[in-house]
Amino acid sequence: MFVEQSAGRMRLVRMLFVLGGFVPCAGLVTLALWRSSDIHASAVRRGWEESLGVPLAIGSVEHLRPGAMRLHGLDVLAPSGEAVISVHKLDVEMSANEVRLTLDRLECTPCAAALLAALASDWLRHPERFSRAWVVDVGAVEWFGDRANQNGTHRSARPATLRGVLEAGHSGLHAECVSSDGVRAVRVRRHPQAADEVRVRLTGMAGVSREAAAVTGSPERLEVSASIEEPLPLAIVTAVAGAWTQSPLPFGAGVFGSIARVRGTVEAVRENHAWSGELAGFVERIDLAACTSGLAYRASGEASVLIKKMSFSAGRLIAGDCNCSASAGRIGQEMLEAMKAHLGCCAGPAFVSLTREQVRNFDDASCSLRIDERGMVLRAPGDRDGAIIRQQGLSILEEPSANVGTERLAWLFSPPGLAPVPASAASAWVISVMPLARGSRGF
């Protein structure tokens, strides 16, 4: 009897050990192996791809605690399969109402900035896909003015002059995507608590397709308020603006060069598919060779533009006041002739070189430009005796004697020898945003 009871107890203990100890341990080991497997990483990747709407690549997934995981080797891909954003390590925390992303470092190119701006736009307009708030913290951001890696060379291995990298302090970023009472908003600011900030606020038909909005007449209202004190690459800003406005400039990528930088303020509202608002700022280190690369006329050197104030309404400029200047460089004689013919500039004593050079050296260039419905006023600074462009103290080109029509500015972007009409995408765009002449009703 003692033996039978002892054997029964032993079987019971063994069964309890298997059920209470071995099976859970085996299950945990199996779950751990599955979570560290490529199959699980692929499952996580597919889930994020469906949510974000962009292709991804994930090296591995590490689960830190319930509701929190770490993604290693995350790449956000272009449709072509090229990595647009690469993140070494991304921490993700998810709750019922919020998704929180944390990463140590981000290399931001114009392509990456445009993609991130498009994702933020999707978050605003598609609450059915993005029902939770998003919070993103980046420890340090490295800004690049060029587009992507070249010849497979990693950015960090390329000289700064080739990378077009902004060497200013690589401060971090904090971004929030939140909603309240039918209003959805995105806020991005620098760390730590800097004055630099961008706010985007959407009210109206969130979640309605563009086609349906076009048919019904969308009451959507998009408000943008931005302040940039620490300069950013101009290519980054134009890429973001193109993604938000859904109407990129027709001049092509990198039109101002990879080292051009900008700071300033913007207050704008988009209603009825057109923008209205004001902006001011300073653009420096503009590459004139890049600016004129797509034109019939050529120039080289480095320029800057101080925008005192620029006001626009319903997609058109209504008033602008800015100062332009350039350091020593070179300019084609054909461009000088075009500025004389189209903008009404006057020939200076050194307008034609003694040797009839077709590409001229100049020491400096400077002018103020005011544009409104009355036309365009181009003037030289008061201490230059009317000279806009000078060489060795002599005037090459002088200010116009009278105002000129704003449409003449577009003529500079038309191929020479053709009628002064929108002969290119660039000239057509310039005409479309210039102020309408007083008394004109447009088309």
Side-chain angles (χ1 to χ4, degrees):
M1 187 69 180
F2 173 77
V3 175
E4 292 179 0
Q5 290 179 354
S6 177
R9 289 193 185 101
M10 290 181 66
R11 286 194 297 270
L12 177 61
V13 170
R14 289 170 180 167
M15 183 177 65
L16 291 176
F17 171 75
V18 171
L19 295 177
F22 179 75
V23 171
C25 287
L28 290 175
V29 170
T30 303
L31 179 61
L33 291 174
W34 178 74
R35 283 188 166 185
S36 61
S37 67
D38 293 339
I39 298 176
H40 178 57
S42 297
V44 172
R45 174 183 57 79
R46 287 193 298 269
W48 281 92
E49 285 179 338
E50 291 177 0
S51 175
L52 298 177
V54 294
L56 304 173
I58 299 176
S60 62
V61 179
E62 177 186 356
H63 289 267
L64 305 176
R65 57 185 178 275
M69 59 182 170
R70 178 171 292 164
L71 307 181
H72 296 273
L74 171 67
D75 289 335
V76 183
L77 308 176
S80 61
E82 178 186 6
V84 178
I85 300 175
S86 295
V87 178
H88 176 67
K89 180 181 65 176
L90 175 67
D91 288 351
V92 182
E93 294 187 57
M94 302 181 67
S95 64
N97 300 318
E98 182 182 272
V99 177
R100 183 176 291 270
L101 307 179
T102 306
L103 58 155
D104 296 331
R105 181 173 173 273
L106 175 67
E107 292 185 352
C108 190
T109 65
C111 291
L115 187 147
L116 293 173
L119 288 176
S121 179
D122 285 348
W123 188 94
L124 287 173
R125 291 185 167 89
H126 299 286
E128 72 284 355
R129 284 172 51 197
F130 301 97
S131 58
R132 288 179 283 195
W134 285 61
V135 179
V136 182
D137 282 296
V138 185
V141 181
E142 193 172 8
W143 305 98
F144 293 89
D146 56 356
R147 290 174 60 84
N149 294 349
Q150 296 178 0
N151 303 323
T153 304
H154 193 271
R155 290 187 171 279
S156 59
R158 292 163 57 196
T161 53
L162 295 179
R163 290 186 282 137
V165 61
L166 183 65
E167 297 294 351
H170 305 319
S171 57
L173 287 180
H174 175 80
E176 302 171 352
C177 303
V178 296
S179 62
S180 177
D181 298 328
V183 178
R184 295 172 71 84
V186 174
R187 177 193 180 204
V188 181
R189 60 175 172 79
R190 287 186 190 263
H191 282 313
Q193 299 295 340
D196 293 24
E197 183 178 77
V198 177
R199 292 175 180 262
V200 183
R201 186 170 178 266
L202 177 68
T203 59
M205 298 177 64
V208 177
S209 67
R210 294 179 190 173
E211 294 76 11
V215 173
T216 61
S218 172
E220 175 185 286
R221 177 183 173 89
L222 187 66
E223 302 172 10
V224 177
S225 176
S227 176
I228 302 173
E229 293 187 358
E230 184 178 330
L232 285 176
L234 182 58
I236 294 284
V237 176
T238 54
V240 172
W244 279 106
T245 61
Q246 302 167 1
S247 56
L249 295 176
F251 305 100
V255 65
F256 299 105
S258 62
I259 61 174
R261 305 187 298 182
V262 62
R263 54 183 169 85
T265 60
V266 176
E267 296 289 339
V269 176
R270 185 174 189 265
E271 292 182 296
N272 298 320
H273 311 289
W275 287 93
S276 302
E278 292 185 355
L279 63 87
F282 181 65
V283 186
E284 59 184 335
R285 306 196 68 181
I286 300 172
D287 185 353
L288 292 178
C291 290
T292 59
S293 62
L295 304 179
Y297 313 112
R298 295 289 185 268
S300 64
E302 194 170 281
S304 61
V305 177
L306 172 63
I307 303 174
K308 296 180 179 179
K309 185 177 181 181
M310 191 170 290
S311 303
F312 47 100
S313 178
R316 278 190 178 273
L317 179 68
I318 56 175
D321 186 0
C322 63
N323 292 339
C324 308
S325 61
S327 58
R330 292 168 65 82
I331 187 171
Q333 186 67 35
E334 287 187 345
M335 188 168 191
L336 294 174
E337 297 284 356
M339 294 177 68
K340 177 183 175 183
H342 300 323
L343 303 185
C345 295
C346 300
F351 183 75
V352 178
S353 70
L354 297 177
T355 57
R356 301 288 175 174
E357 294 175 308
Q358 292 305 302
V359 179
R360 309 286 307 283
N361 293 322
F362 67 89
D363 296 332
D364 56 61
S366 182
C367 68
S368 65
L369 179 64
R370 294 195 302 274
I371 298 176
D372 57 24
E373 63 180 4
R374 294 169 297 182
M376 181 171 61
V377 180
L378 188 64
R379 291 290 181 265
D383 60 346
R384 295 172 63 95
D385 295 327
I388 295 176
I389 304 175
R390 297 185 302 189
Q391 181 187 27
Q392 297 180 352
L394 296 177
S395 172
I396 296 177
L397 198 68
E398 298 182 353
E399 63 186 21
S401 57
N403 296 5
V404 297
T406 55
E407 73 281 355
R408 288 178 172 267
L409 187 62
W411 295 2
L412 288 177
F413 298 94
S414 298
L418 296 180
V421 296
S424 67
S427 56
W429 180 84
V430 170
I431 289 177
S432 73
V433 299
M434 283 292 106
L436 290 173
R438 180 177 292 178
S440 173
R441 296 178 179 269
F443 294 96

